Amino acid sequence: MRAIRLPEDSGLFSTLRAGDEVLLSGVLFGARDQAHSRLADLVAGGKPLPVQLRGQTVYYVGPTPAPPGRPIGSCGPTTATRMDPFTPALLKAGLVGMVGKGKRSKAVVAAMREAGAVYFYAFGGCGALYAERVRSSAIVAFEDLGPEAIYRLEVEDFPVVVAIDSTGEGLPAFLAST
Amino acid sequence: MAGRTVSSEALYRALKEAVLRMNVELPADVTSAIRSAFERETGRGRTALKYILENIDIASRSRLPLCQDTGMIVAFVEVGRGVSFEGEGLSSTIDRAIADAYREGNFRKSVVADPLNGRANTGMNLPAVVYWDFTESDTLRVSCMAKGFGSENCGKVFMLNPTAGREAVIASIVEAARAAGGNPCPPIVVGVGIGGTMDRAAVLSKRALLRDLDDVNPDPYYAALEADALSALNALGIGAGGLGGEVTCLAVKTAVAGTHLAGLPVAVTINCWADRKCRVEL
């Protein structure tokens, strides 16, 4: 099992291979559908982004409300496939890692290969387990989107598996047929 | 038949408690099926099953929801003819129990009012999808599931040729699961509605999911079909989490209805391993 610190160790992503088990610690940016749509629009318009994506890793997540005394509620991965239309734009803006569940399109895999990016699988449905591995959570952009805002999460020993590596190789169930 | 009186307050309390529990504790039949999957899995999916079991323990201890997608409620209400319901209306009592459970449990409110225009969140996890049945009993029964949409988006309806037969039904179930891959959070539970009309088959596929995973269909024809479909799904190799392995599916459950001579509707509802369901009976 590899341990990787984010964003410091993102240079090591090229050494990861599909199927590797990894523990992520450090910073993940939580973002899902609406935030992706807005970020992709900004990239397309050549406008500045509200968060610097270069060298960063995004986590597809929409947590439950944080109960009193906890930084976050249940926070397992949501389906990455829905972010596919927006992902090439984010990779172009420097994104190098993605954490989620589900299949990625051929276009995303091609863009990942070009960017040297990695797609990690987080264990689907394990929201309570991941909640216990988040140290802090803060909204950093698009606050008006409520639960779909962009969050900066500090995580510790976040268990994931490399689903698609930077060479474009992937575990079969994560590669879409189109 | 002796008439019985059920108060809206009694239903409200029982249902709210059940919905609160449903999102943090899995029913015993589901946990036991996952444990048994972990014991026999030798593929990469074993790692996913290990974390799933750890997640089940953490959720139950911390009362954090098992999954952040605390779902949309699908409810089957069976109203016995001998029951007289007193107080608030039945429908609004059910809605209030759901809304209050989602607020008090810090569950995610995942329901939008209009599916297309604006998609504003109602903030109450309402409306629920509610089906009504009227029975000859003297009990009131509400059976619910918290349906996550990672898996719901993988559902399919097949309007088969009436002569297509048993193998085509199994092939349709396999096709739905194959297309879904790892998206619905396997190991999955599959509900299959066969017969009726397109809409009836879809409702039956949900009703079938209310069955205990370890029950055996009393009709030997469908018991065998369920077993064969389960084997076919587990031969796909998708495995827990889509990581690969022998256990892709925990159970296949069917429910059937009479249909038109010109058709054979088959609806497949896929549920994730977090097969959250509850029942209150008054």
Side-chain angles (χ1 to χ4, degrees):
Chain A
M1 176 107 66
R2 300 272 298 272
I4 288 202
R5 284 211 66 81
L6 298 174
E8 299 90 315
D9 294 344
S10 59
L12 299 177
F13 280 5
S14 61
T15 66
L16 297 173
R17 288 295 164 263
D20 287 354
E21 288 182 38
V22 180
L23 288 175
L24 300 176
S25 297
V27 177
L28 292 175
F29 285 97
R32 56 177 297 159
D33 307 64
Q34 299 295 335
H36 271 75
S37 169
R38 284 198 191 176
L39 287 172
D41 281 350
L42 291 172
V43 173
K47 300 211 176 82
L49 302 184
V51 285
Q52 176 55 258
L53 291 180
R54 193 152 300 282
Q56 299 291 351
T57 297
V58 73
Y59 181 34
Y60 306 133
V61 66
T64 59
R70 286 184 176 270
I72 200 165
S74 192
C75 59
T78 193
T79 304
T81 322
R82 294 196 314 268
M83 316 311 154
D84 281 355
F86 315 113
T87 298
L90 272 62
L91 291 169
K92 201 171 131 199
L95 185 75
V96 292
M98 296 159 284
V99 182
K101 69 178 178 95
K103 295 172 196 268
R104 305 315 300 263
S105 70
K106 287 205 156 94
V108 165
V109 176
M112 284 174 61
R113 209 182 297 120
E114 200 169 314
V118 173
Y119 169 49
F120 298 98
Y121 167 68
F123 297 95
C126 293
L129 179 140
Y130 285 112
E132 297 223 317
R133 298 181 188 224
V134 172
R135 296 291 163 256
S136 72
S137 160
I139 294 181
V140 291
F142 303 151
E143 192 164 0
D144 60 300
L145 291 179
E148 297 211 38
I150 300 182
Y151 288 78
R152 183 182 187 276
L153 307 176
E154 281 182 339
V155 306
E156 196 173 320
D157 293 337
F158 217 70
V160 295
V161 175
V162 177
I164 303 174
D165 64 32
S166 58
T167 70
E169 291 300 311
L171 300 177
F174 295 91
L175 299 168
S177 55
T178 56
Chain B
M1 191 184 309
R4 285 181 58 247
T5 298
V6 172
S7 78
S8 59
E9 201 49 31
L11 173 65
Y12 168 78
R13 279 203 216 102
L15 185 58
K16 189 177 82 175
E17 275 315 304
V19 171
L20 276 165
R21 196 177 328 111
M22 172 168 67
N23 267 304
V24 297
E25 266 177 46
L26 279 187
D29 58 311
V30 181
T31 306
S32 144
I34 294 169
R35 272 189 216 294
S36 127
F38 176 68
E39 278 154 25
R40 68 180 189 275
E41 182 60 84
T42 55
R44 218 192 280 280
R46 186 176 167 83
T47 308
L49 292 165
K50 181 190 80 175
Y51 283 116
I52 287 169
L53 287 169
E54 192 181 332
N55 185 64
I56 291 169
D57 285 344
I58 292 172
S60 155
R61 167 165 53 74
S62 66
R63 310 315 276 177
L64 283 165
L66 286 148
C67 177
Q68 73 289 341
D69 183 353
T70 43
M72 184 172 196
I73 295 284
V74 178
F76 287 86
V77 186
E78 292 160 86
V79 185
R81 190 151 84 117
V83 174
S84 113
F85 193 71
E86 287 196 348
E88 192 184 349
L90 186 44
S91 182
S92 62
T93 304
I94 291 169
D95 282 356
R96 192 160 60 88
I98 292 168
D100 287 356
Y102 273 71
R103 192 186 63 250
E104 289 175 28
N106 282 308
F107 300 161
R108 198 178 77 189
K109 273 61 83 180
S110 305
V111 178
V112 302
D114 187 301
L116 196 54
N117 186 8
R119 294 187 65 89
N121 196 304
T122 63
M124 297 182 292
N125 221 51
L126 294 173
V129 176
V130 184
Y131 299 107
W132 299 89
D133 276 314
F134 299 92
T135 67
E136 291 299 319
S137 71
D138 60 357
T139 57
L140 169 65
R141 182 190 287 164
V142 183
S143 310
C144 292
M145 63 183 95
K147 192 67 180 72
F149 259 55
S151 59
E152 184 63 11
N153 284 335
C154 301
K156 285 200 187 321
V157 175
F158 302 86
M159 300 304 285
L160 298 180
N161 191 307
T163 56
R166 183 184 195 273
E167 293 317 306
V169 172
I170 293 175
S172 302
I173 300 168
V174 170
E175 171 47 32
R178 189 203 311 275
N183 285 29
C185 291
I188 53 177
V189 178
V190 178
V192 186
I194 308 171
T197 47
M198 181 185 73
D199 51 317
R200 171 56 61 86
V203 177
L204 288 173
S205 74
K206 288 286 183 307
R207 180 179 278 284
L209 283 175
L210 296 176
R211 287 171 50 194
D212 284 347
L213 299 196
D214 52 4
D215 76 357
V216 176
N217 196 316
D219 181 329
Y221 179 88
Y222 287 102
L225 190 148
E226 289 169 9
D228 290 350
L230 180 61
S231 303
L233 291 176
N234 284 332
L236 286 172
I238 294 167
L243 296 176
E246 294 144 46
V247 188
T248 297
C249 180
L250 298 173
V252 177
K253 299 292 171 189
T254 61
V256 302
T259 190
H260 191 282
L261 55 83
L264 173 52
V266 176
V268 180
T269 291
I270 297 184
N271 207 0
C272 55
W273 63 260
D275 183 25
R276 292 153 288 179
K277 54 196 177 185
C278 67
R279 185 168 68 199
V280 300
E281 207 168 289
L282 295 164

